[in-house]
């Protein structure tokens, strides 16, 4: 994304780490710092390899070094149903000399506590993840309040996906009550560390519906949907060819970006780059399309 031609002024990624060794994350942090682009990272992760406090301490020691010389990194604290105000205040005290962010996921903080956090001047963003009441949201300043929702209808199997469905109209409705909005792209908010060879390969790609201007998502699923029929490589190419055909026939809806170009290259060459690359390109297209929608390019 940093090497892409489009403006990233509307983009602030919010990352929730799950991997104990932060090699890739450090590379990402440094790249965003060099490009002078903001990057929000949750510094109290609690999933997968970072579920144990000891693992978080070791992880945070490395990330802390990156914080020292990178003012574009936005330390973020995630407030959950078990978060005490003292923990939040400890975080704010530790990073009192720089801009930070708070992310709320079903917080148990009272109104007076939320008001105090809302008045903290160095909090740049208040990310509303889920579980806040309308009254709680109203306590947060609209100039710093960001709505993040999971709009992806996640199904059990790739073969269950079919056709198109509405993704969001948030780009048309977030102003003036919110400073920004976000989503979980085509992966959803639920985290799973397990996985195996899929019976089908799916590519989920958003597009701008021309009549309403809303963002819809189309599911491109391989023709082969039985586990022992065909190969993963062949199934990926089948799905990529479907996406490429749709994007080329409807460029004003899908836009043009490097992710679609790569999908087209793999489709034409019958090349399989691996399932992680498939997911990466889906997210890349998602970010590009949303930025194009916001800028009016699509």
């Amino acid at each position: 994304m940093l090497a892409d031609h489009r403006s990233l002024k509307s983009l602030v990624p919010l990352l929730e780490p799950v991997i104990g060794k932060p090699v890739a994350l450090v590379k990402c942090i440094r790249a965003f710092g060099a490009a002078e682009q903001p990057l929000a990272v949750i510094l109290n992760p609690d999933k997968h390899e970072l579920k144990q406090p000891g693992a978080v301490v070791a992880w945070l020691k490395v990330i802390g070094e990156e914080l020292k010389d990178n003012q574009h990194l936005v330390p973020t604290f995630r407030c959950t149903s078990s978060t005490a105000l003292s923990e939040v205040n400890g975080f704010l005290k530790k990073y009192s000399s720089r801009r930070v962010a708070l992310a709320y996921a079903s917080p148990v903080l009272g109104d007076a506590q939320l008001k105090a956090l809302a008045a903290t001047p160095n909090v740049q963003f208040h990310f509303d993840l889920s579980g806040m009441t309308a009254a709680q949201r109203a306590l947060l300043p609209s100039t710093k309040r960001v709505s993040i929702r999971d709009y992806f209808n996640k199904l059990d199997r790739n073969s269950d996906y079919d056709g198109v469905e509405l993704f969001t109209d948030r780009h048309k409705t977030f102003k003036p009550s919110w400073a920004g909005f976000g989503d979980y792209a085509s992966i959803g908010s639920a985290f799973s560390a397990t996985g195996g060879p899929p019976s089908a390969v799916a590519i989920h790609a958003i597009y701008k519906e021309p009549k309403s201007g809303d963002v819809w998502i189309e599911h491109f699923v391989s023709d082969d949907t039985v586990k022992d029929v065909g190969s993963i490589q062949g199934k990926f190419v089948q799905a990529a060819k479907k996406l490429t055909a749709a994007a080329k026939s409807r460029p004003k809806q899908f836009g043009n970006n490097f992710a679609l170009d790569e999908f087209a290259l793999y489709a034409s060459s019958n090349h399989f780059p691996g399932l992680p690359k498939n997911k990466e390109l889906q997210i890349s297209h998602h970010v590009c399309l949303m930025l194009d929608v916001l800028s009016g390019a699509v």
Side-chain angles (χ1 to χ4, degrees):
M1 288 304 308
L2 293 175
D4 190 63
H5 70 278
R6 58 182 43 79
S7 171
L8 301 182
K9 67 179 182 179
S10 297
L11 177 66
V12 181
L14 172 59
L15 305 183
E16 182 179 5
V18 295
I19 302 299
K21 294 182 178 180
V23 177
L25 180 58
V26 167
K27 181 180 179 181
C28 181
I29 289 172
R30 291 178 179 176
F32 269 78
E36 299 185 346
Q37 287 289 332
L39 178 69
V41 179
I42 292 176
L43 297 187
N44 60 329
D46 59 1
K47 294 181 178 65
H48 192 38
E49 294 180 6
L50 295 172
K51 189 174 183 178
Q52 300 302 321
V56 177
V57 170
W59 174 86
L60 193 56
K61 184 177 181 180
V62 176
I63 299 301
E65 291 298 314
E66 299 301 319
L67 279 165
K68 293 179 180 179
D69 301 318
N70 189 344
Q71 291 301 312
H72 297 282
L73 181 61
V74 183
T76 303
F77 190 88
R78 185 169 175 264
C79 304
T80 68
S81 58
S82 61
T83 301
L85 181 62
S86 58
E87 297 177 86
V88 187
N89 286 336
F91 167 82
L92 294 175
K93 182 178 180 180
K94 183 176 182 178
Y95 300 108
S96 60
S97 62
R98 61 186 299 155
R99 59 180 183 171
V100 298
L102 298 176
Y104 305 93
S106 299
V108 292
L109 302 172
D111 288 357
Q113 295 171 328
L114 285 172
K115 285 182 180 179
L117 297 178
T120 306
N122 66 314
V123 177
Q124 183 182 16
F125 300 112
H126 292 272
F127 295 113
D128 173 20
L129 302 181
S130 65
M132 295 189 83
T133 66
Q136 286 179 317
R137 290 193 292 267
L139 298 174
L140 304 176
S142 60
T143 56
K144 298 181 178 182
R145 186 173 55 196
V146 179
S147 172
I148 299 182
R149 295 289 181 269
D150 184 358
Y151 301 111
F152 184 64
N153 182 24
K154 195 173 183 66
L155 303 179
D156 292 335
R157 302 174 303 176
N158 286 339
S159 57
D160 293 336
Y161 292 102
D162 184 38
V164 302
E165 57 185 321
L166 175 67
F167 187 79
T168 184
D169 65 349
R170 204 70 170 113
H171 58 289
K172 301 192 302 183
T173 62
F174 78 98
K175 293 180 179 180
S177 300
W178 301 84
F181 71 97
D183 56 55
Y184 293 85
S186 58
I187 57 177
S189 59
F191 172 74
S192 175
T194 61
S199 58
V201 170
I203 300 175
H204 314 285
I206 59 171
Y207 65 94
K208 185 178 180 180
E209 204 283 320
K211 293 183 179 179
S212 66
D214 296 336
V215 174
W216 284 60
I217 189 166
E218 188 161 353
H219 308 288
F220 302 94
V221 182
S222 59
D223 296 320
D224 296 332
T225 58
V226 179
K227 189 173 184 179
D228 297 325
V229 174
S231 65
I232 301 299
Q233 294 88 335
K235 293 176 181 180
F236 167 79
V237 171
Q238 290 172 358
K241 286 184 176 180
K242 291 181 179 180
L243 166 62
T244 298
K248 286 185 176 180
S249 65
R250 294 145 56 196
K252 292 184 178 180
Q253 298 179 32
F254 284 93
N256 297 285
N257 56 63
F258 67 91
L260 292 177
D261 290 342
E262 284 198 48
F263 273 124
L265 178 63
Y266 297 140
S268 63
S269 61
N270 293 316
H271 177 68
F272 176 55
L275 292 178
K277 189 67 174 181
N278 177 31
K279 187 65 68 176
E280 174 191 322
L281 292 178
Q282 289 180 61
I283 296 172
S284 297
H285 165 70
H286 188 97
V287 175
C288 287
L289 195 281
M290 293 304 293
L291 288 174
D292 287 345
V293 168
L294 287 171
S295 69
V298 171

